[in-house]
Amino acid sequence: MGFSPQVEAINVASGMSVLDLPELTLECILERLPPSGLCSMAGVCSSLRERCVSNHLWEKHMKQKWGRLIGPAAHREWQWYLASRNWANLRQGRQRGLMRLLSIVWPFLWARSSVVDGTNNSKERCSFHVDSLMSWYLALETGKFWFPAQVYNRENGHVGFMMSCYDAELSYDPRTDTFQARYPSHGRRAIAIETNVPWERLRAPPVDTSPHALHISDCLNELRPGDHIEIQWRRNKEFPYGWWYGVVGHLESCDGNKTHCRCHNNDRVALEFNHYTPGSRWRRTTISRKDHREEGNEVDGFYGGIRKLKSNEEISMWRRLWPVEVLE
């Protein structure tokens, strides 16, 4: 009858329907099914459909596959996406279109509903809630939904900009298990698209700040030499901010001796970007500790808000992508 192998075994061995199983047993089976299995079961009958679209079953799948990339901005984008739909048209036509798209990924979904229900009622088959986690998961999985996230740069021949990340809208390609990323290429005037972006180059935005807004720094008073930081940087006022990786260094008046260092008491903070060659205008800058706002010019670019990296996972991410010797 097209159930999962585990359920088929139960049917064959006992002659009973999966719906005859005790409530707890059935729930345990559903909790162990992968997304494709839940979709298949949802096409069997209306009773299983109501169970298989339950948010608590999809919460685990959302967290396992998409949790690392989905932040507050992506959640807001999904809510806006839902709000922009015409609900009546969505139930009659657009939702049916999503199911057709799913049939490409899981071809057995259509057949199961017709065989078990003995009907070809498309409206009945497509009655899952469009605001459910299942709907969101499938919109992400099929690339139907573009969501905001950040992409670590990998620009060939320019190691400096490699140590940065940019904000983009992402769409998943299930055929290649990679993403498309679209972002402003010339300020707000044009859109560029990067293709075949792998998972390891992506992250959810660590702060809920628009790339066009100055991040309010809340760590300036605690910064000391050796701390790892990320700082907003943009080429000019027309561009959105990206995030650069760097470390807090010693001021020129300090010899670097930890015993005598008083850099943490100074009103200026030295920031070093050691992946740039010595003498580069981007290798080092200083900012105000007490009154830091956007600083810079049209030649060197503009430095914005700062966040201190307190997680070893965040720090190691930069070192996984680029050689350690570049960062020393």
Side-chain angles (χ1 to χ4, degrees):
M1 294 185 58
F3 295 113
S4 67
Q6 298 92 330
V7 177
E8 288 279 12
I10 293 174
N11 290 340
V12 172
S14 62
M16 64 187 296
S17 165
V18 66
L19 294 177
D20 296 327
L21 294 172
E23 187 81 12
L24 182 58
T25 302
L26 178 56
E27 187 68 17
C28 288
I29 291 175
L30 295 180
E31 287 178 351
R32 286 165 172 76
L33 290 179
S36 58
L38 284 175
C39 285
S40 178
M41 293 285 274
V44 171
C45 64
S46 59
S47 178
L48 282 175
R49 178 162 51 250
E50 289 303 313
R51 293 174 179 271
C52 291
V53 302
S54 174
N55 279 352
H56 89 273
L57 291 177
W58 288 90
E59 185 175 7
K60 176 185 68 174
H61 297 302
M62 279 290 294
K63 184 176 181 181
Q64 285 180 346
K65 182 159 188 177
W66 298 103
R68 190 173 66 83
L69 296 185
I70 298 299
H75 186 266
R76 283 196 302 272
E77 191 71 24
W78 176 245
Q79 295 302 315
W80 292 334
Y81 177 85
L82 293 178
S84 68
R85 305 294 89 183
N86 182 308
W87 293 100
N89 289 340
L90 184 62
R91 289 187 179 279
Q92 294 296 323
R94 293 177 185 174
Q95 193 178 47
R96 194 177 305 125
L98 176 58
M99 294 299 283
R100 288 197 192 98
L101 184 58
L102 293 178
S103 70
I104 298 175
V105 183
W106 296 300
F108 47 78
L109 183 58
W110 285 104
R112 297 298 164 262
S113 182
S114 300
V115 171
V116 177
D117 288 349
T119 178
N120 192 33
N121 191 327
S122 297
K123 181 177 180 181
E124 179 66 18
R125 279 203 307 268
C126 301
S127 61
F128 67 84
H129 300 296
V130 294
D131 60 347
S132 66
L133 284 179
M134 174 184 179
S135 177
W136 193 8
Y137 182 98
L138 298 180
L140 289 165
E141 184 73 18
T142 58
K144 183 180 179 68
F145 175 62
W146 290 76
F147 63 96
Q150 291 182 346
V151 183
Y152 290 96
N153 272 311
R154 294 301 298 270
E155 295 189 21
N156 293 328
H158 200 317
V159 68
F161 285 100
M162 286 170 58
M163 300 302 296
S164 64
C165 63
Y166 65 90
D167 284 84
E169 288 187 317
L170 303 180
S171 173
Y172 181 63
D173 184 349
R175 297 168 301 175
T176 60
D177 193 30
T178 61
F179 293 80
Q180 292 186 75
R182 61 188 183 195
Y183 58 95
S185 61
H186 298 287
R188 300 171 187 255
R189 295 186 296 273
I191 298 297
I193 294 182
E194 183 180 0
T195 59
N196 298 317
V197 180
W199 285 83
E200 58 267 23
R201 285 185 53 205
L202 303 175
R203 71 176 184 181
V207 294
D208 196 15
T209 302
S210 165
H212 296 282
L214 180 69
H215 173 65
I216 305 303
S217 308
D218 59 359
C219 61
L220 296 178
N221 289 332
E222 63 182 273
L223 292 179
R224 293 172 174 264
D227 286 342
H228 299 258
I229 59 96
E230 290 178 11
I231 186 169
Q232 288 176 310
W233 184 88
R234 59 181 173 178
R235 184 174 301 173
N236 58 51
K237 298 285 188 176
E238 293 296 317
F239 276 76
Y241 287 112
W243 287 91
W244 280 16
Y245 169 80
V247 295
V248 178
H250 293 275
L251 296 168
E252 292 182 355
S253 59
C254 178
D255 62 6
N257 187 305
K258 294 182 179 180
T259 304
H260 303 102
C261 177
R262 295 293 180 268
C263 291
H264 58 280
N265 294 325
N266 198 287
D267 288 345
R268 303 294 296 179
V269 180
L271 304 178
E272 297 179 347
F273 309 96
N274 295 330
H275 41 282
Y276 283 103
T277 58
S280 168
R281 63 177 182 268
W282 290 306
R283 184 177 173 90
R284 179 183 173 89
T285 191
T286 62
I287 61 166
S288 170
R289 190 188 296 271
K290 292 186 176 180
D291 188 31
H292 173 59
R293 300 178 183 179
E294 184 180 68
E295 302 182 25
N297 54 61
E298 295 290 340
V299 176
D300 298 335
F302 296 87
Y303 297 90
I306 298 176
R307 56 182 298 262
K308 179 181 176 180
L309 303 185
K310 300 179 180 180
S311 163
N312 288 332
E313 181 179 357
E314 282 192 296
I315 296 171
S316 64
M317 182 61 186
W318 294 105
R319 295 175 177 267
R320 285 199 299 268
L321 290 175
W322 294 279
V324 174
E325 59 268 19
V326 171
L327 307 181
E328 300 300 335

